Amino acid sequence: MKNTKYLNMILAAGFLLIFTGFILSLCLLGETPDFSSLIVPDLLFLAGFTNLYIFIAFKKSNFRFFLALTLTLYGFFSSLLVYQVVKVSFAQIWPVYILMTSFSLFIAGRRTGKKFAINYDFSSLLLFVIAIIFLLFSFDIIKLPFARLALMVCPVILILAGVFLVLLFFQRKSLLEILPEALSEELNNDSEIEDSE
């Protein structure tokens, strides 16, 4: 028990030294901003490290890992922007935060031990596509106004979603494999009742 306590203290001290060293190196590399603009990135970074510490030392859940990785990446990137190591305006670069969330979901999905974890990988892919689209707009690569594109794409997305649901209805076995176990059993029992009638 004492060994675990000392090991956890060593781990916490290690994270604290990494955090302090990172902030000091940013002070040397970039321009030192005013104190008020440092609060959010440093708090995000510290929250990420705290969750990472909890994940490693105590609770090894996928959500805790996802949260730790996301907050650490947010804090790291926000610090780079605030200290002006990356000299791009926030108005242009904000979709990178969605990319970081996508990356965190993908990495958290790998912890499940499966090659493909639909709840992590599908969300990750969706966020990745959204982030790329927003980046194309924020860097003015796509000149069309976003509102106009959304109006044009919305009916297509609705049609594709409807076709997907209709195909899923006809492929009930595939649907039952995707859904959670309790719901899957309930739907399976309903379909057996319909077949017997």
Side-chain angles (χ1 to χ4, degrees):
M1 188 75 179
K2 279 186 177 180
N3 288 342
T4 308
K5 181 183 174 184
Y6 289 123
L7 285 174
N8 287 344
M9 285 173 60
I10 290 170
L11 181 65
F15 278 133
L16 192 60
L17 288 172
I18 292 169
F19 175 74
T20 308
F22 174 74
I23 298 301
L24 288 175
S25 61
L26 283 179
C27 288
L28 295 172
L29 289 173
E31 300 170 17
T32 308
D34 58 6
F35 180 74
S36 61
S37 59
L38 294 175
I39 293 171
V40 173
D42 289 349
L43 284 178
L44 284 170
F45 204 39
L46 196 58
F49 269 18
T50 304
N51 277 288
L52 198 56
Y53 168 74
I54 293 168
F55 169 76
I56 293 171
F58 305 109
K59 194 174 181 182
K60 295 192 183 325
S61 70
N62 280 349
F63 177 73
R64 179 71 64 183
F65 179 70
F66 162 72
L67 194 62
L69 190 57
T70 303
L71 289 172
T72 304
L73 288 173
Y74 281 4
F76 177 77
F77 191 69
S78 298
S79 297
L80 292 178
L81 288 176
V82 167
Y83 283 96
Q84 295 184 356
V85 176
V86 175
K87 296 185 185 297
V88 182
S89 70
F90 182 78
Q92 282 185 308
I93 205 76
W94 69 267
V96 170
Y97 288 92
I98 302 173
L99 275 177
M100 287 186 277
T101 307
S102 168
F103 173 75
S104 298
L105 273 171
F106 181 76
I107 297 299
R110 303 290 62 79
R111 285 200 70 255
T112 60
K114 299 175 186 172
K115 289 182 181 177
F116 182 74
I118 193 161
N119 49 346
Y120 288 96
D121 293 344
F122 179 73
S123 306
S124 175
L125 181 64
L126 187 65
L127 286 174
F128 179 79
V129 170
I130 290 169
I132 295 299
I133 291 169
F134 284 154
L135 275 171
L136 293 173
F137 278 101
S138 67
F139 281 100
D140 289 329
I141 296 169
I142 296 177
K143 303 290 183 190
L144 188 69
F146 182 74
R148 178 141 177 79
L149 182 74
L151 283 172
M152 290 165 52
V153 172
C154 190
V156 175
I157 291 172
L158 289 172
I159 291 168
L160 289 175
V163 168
F164 175 74
L165 290 175
V166 169
L167 290 174
L168 209 53
F169 172 79
F170 288 112
Q171 296 293 321
R172 285 185 210 140
K173 287 185 181 180
S174 301
L175 176 62
L176 295 175
E177 289 171 11
I178 293 171
L179 293 173
E181 211 170 292
L183 185 60
S184 179
E185 286 175 14
E186 190 177 316
L187 287 174
N188 201 13
N189 292 338
D190 289 348
S191 63
E192 286 171 7
I193 291 167
E194 287 173 14
D195 290 342
S196 63
E197 288 174 0

